[in-house]
Amino acid sequence: MSYDSFSDIRNPDPAADKGREEQNGPPQGMDEVGEIETNWTEVIDNFDNMGLKENLLRGIYAYGFEKPSAIQQRAITPCCKGYDVIAQAQSGTGKTATFSIAILEQIDVSLKECQALVLAPTRELAQQIHKVVIALGDYMEAKWPCLYWWNQYPGRRDYF
């Protein structure tokens, strides 16, 4: 049985087969063409001006960053302020560091509990992200465990 025929059985209403965009239009903040609108215009071109913790800044500079990339200039601050952010950039532009810095900025190292969870589609990517978080958070005196699990039964949705 294909996924489409399965969804037909679960949703006998023909309108239910339409995607959310077909039923209600595009998501809020996105026009019909797919361009995302934003009201965030602040661009901060220096890590020192982002209001980051001193120990995090030490980790950023020790990691080798001198100046934030374009994606970092635009996305770190709204992430740190708790906004929902969708950011897209070319490979190698610092996306991992962007969300890692935002997470590390919000961590309270005095609390000995899980405060952030990063999900990655592969074990290799999870390990790569973990290395970045460890390096950036090196001066923050906290532990950053990396847990990963892979599906040894691909294609079996009932295994989860």
Side-chain angles (χ1 to χ4, degrees):
M1 177 181 297
S2 73
Y3 179 75
D4 290 335
S5 60
F6 181 72
S7 65
D8 290 343
I9 292 170
R10 289 190 346 192
N11 300 316
D13 178 15
D17 287 338
K18 292 182 179 179
R20 195 191 74 72
E21 289 82 7
E22 292 179 47
Q23 293 178 26
N24 304 324
Q28 183 178 2
M30 182 181 287
D31 65 17
E32 297 294 332
V33 180
E35 292 293 320
I36 296 175
E37 301 167 6
T38 181
N39 58 1
W40 192 267
T41 58
E42 187 176 10
V43 176
I44 302 176
D45 63 355
N46 189 316
F47 288 115
D48 292 327
N49 297 336
M50 291 184 182
L52 302 172
K53 297 173 187 171
E54 188 65 35
N55 286 339
L56 177 55
L57 280 172
R58 289 179 63 199
I60 290 169
Y61 290 122
Y63 192 67
F65 286 122
E66 295 176 6
K67 181 181 178 214
S69 67
I71 190 72
Q72 292 165 344
Q73 291 175 10
R74 290 162 178 79
I76 290 174
T77 303
C79 286
C80 289
K81 290 184 177 184
Y83 288 93
D84 293 334
V85 175
I86 298 174
Q88 183 176 2
Q90 293 289 330
S91 179
T93 57
K95 294 181 298 295
T96 300
T98 299
F99 71 77
S100 298
I101 290 168
I103 289 170
L104 292 169
E105 174 60 25
Q106 297 178 72
I107 295 288
D108 179 352
V109 294
S110 68
L111 297 176
K112 304 301 181 200
E113 58 190 39
C114 181
Q115 298 175 56
L117 176 66
V118 178
L119 300 177
T122 65
R123 176 180 55 189
E124 291 76 16
L125 182 57
Q127 291 170 331
Q128 177 186 337
I129 294 167
H130 185 235
K131 287 178 185 177
V132 171
V133 170
I134 287 174
L136 293 172
D138 195 34
Y139 297 93
M140 295 181 67
E141 300 176 11
K143 295 183 180 182
W144 318 108
C146 180
L147 307 173
Y148 50 85
W149 177 87
W150 64 95
N151 184 1
Q152 64 190 75
Y153 302 107
R156 282 190 57 192
R157 295 180 188 177
D158 62 325
Y159 190 71
F160 297 103

